[in-house]
Amino acid sequence: MGTILAMNLRTTLPRIGLLALASVLTGCSNDPYFEFPVQSIVPTSLRQQEANGEITPQAIVQTLSATDLPVAFLGVPDRGSQALLIRIEQNGPYETFANPDRQSVTMRHGMITGTRGLSGDLMSTEEEALLDLIRARRAGQVSYIQRYLTPEDVTEVVTYRCGVEPDATVDVSIGLVQDRATEMVAACESPDGPPFVDYYKVSGNGEILASRQWLGENLGYVAMQMLQR
């Protein structure tokens, strides 16, 4: 994003961002001396709203104005919860986003590959084949493996066979993210787990800007929107 465009977006964010984010939010119904990096960025009002399970567009604007770090919105409809996550770590292609409650999500090019602190977490995935098709915006059949933690603290492994297809080309205009994207659909089945259908909006350079992704029976579907990259 060019400097002039970025400045214009920041100037008009309260007007553009509030309208776009309002529609998104409506649809998504131990070291004691370690200073968690998100604490100093997230406004107190936002922390209170996360505790109430809902984040207003106004609080999101405050957060985007307070940091240049990548920011993602996460919604868990089955739990009626929403959170803003700020990137706290990057390890190669893997980025970890977290909130002040130490709930975190790890993503690879925008695909969620692990969660922590959400209860019944997705511990890890073998996502390479699936992610390659989605990033290339190509059709195909691939294997995909999820490992997640059950409420009984048992790690369960489920192997899926996924059919991937591209769909429509759409404009993405959420927060400070303005781009064109291809909608990708991944329909997955397994003899060991329930079938699911994931949706991804993928930019021209192969980055997932938004998704609805299945993270196991305990978490269900999770909605992700990149608000700042």
Side-chain angles (χ1 to χ4, degrees):
M1 182 181 296
T3 303
I4 295 177
L5 178 57
M7 291 175 62
N8 289 339
L9 286 173
R10 288 188 181 279
T11 302
T12 57
L13 179 60
R15 178 169 56 86
I16 297 176
L18 289 179
L19 293 174
L21 290 170
S23 64
V24 172
L25 295 177
T26 300
C28 295
S29 278
N30 319 338
D31 182 348
Y33 300 103
F34 174 68
E35 181 180 352
F36 200 57
V38 179
Q39 294 283 359
S40 60
I41 298 173
V42 178
T44 301
S45 60
L46 178 56
R47 299 176 202 172
Q48 292 170 345
Q49 288 169 47
E50 285 195 3
N52 295 332
E54 182 177 349
I55 299 171
T56 66
Q58 291 85 349
I60 297 177
V61 170
Q62 292 178 36
T63 300
L64 296 183
S65 300
T67 181
D68 291 326
L69 292 169
V71 178
F73 167 84
L74 195 75
V76 187
D78 285 353
R79 299 184 181 180
S81 65
Q82 301 173 352
L84 271 193
L85 306 176
I86 298 173
R87 192 182 71 188
I88 62 169
E89 184 180 9
Q90 184 168 11
N91 182 13
Y94 294 93
E95 297 178 290
T96 299
F97 292 72
N99 66 5
D101 293 330
R102 298 177 183 256
Q103 296 173 324
S104 67
V105 169
T106 297
M107 293 190 280
R108 182 179 180 186
H109 299 292
M111 176 181 283
I112 298 172
T113 61
T115 68
R116 296 296 184 271
L118 299 182
S119 180
D121 283 309
L122 177 69
M123 303 306 291
S124 66
T125 64
E126 292 182 23
E127 76 287 344
E128 289 85 355
L130 177 60
L131 183 58
D132 285 348
L133 278 184
I134 289 172
R135 295 193 69 209
R137 290 152 291 157
R138 291 189 291 108
Q141 297 275 337
V142 292
S143 294
Y144 171 55
I145 296 175
Q146 289 185 328
R147 301 179 183 89
Y148 56 90
L149 194 65
T150 69
E152 295 77 27
D153 289 332
V154 176
T155 300
E156 188 169 342
V157 180
V158 183
T159 301
Y160 286 94
R161 188 68 181 172
C162 299
V164 180
E165 291 185 357
D167 199 0
T169 300
V170 296
D171 288 318
V172 175
S173 181
I174 301 293
L176 293 176
V177 175
Q178 315 282 319
D179 213 332
R180 290 281 285 172
T182 301
E183 293 182 333
M184 298 295 297
V185 182
C188 303
E189 294 183 335
S190 170
D192 303 317
F196 62 84
V197 179
D198 284 352
Y199 296 90
Y200 302 89
K201 293 183 180 180
V202 186
S203 69
N205 64 354
E207 295 298 310
I208 297 169
L209 306 178
S211 66
R212 188 197 75 165
Q213 190 174 337
W214 174 261
L215 299 187
E217 291 186 83
N218 193 49
L219 281 171
Y221 285 106
V222 171
M224 187 281 294
Q225 295 270 356
M226 289 303 303
L227 305 180
Q228 181 165 277
R229 293 190 289 169

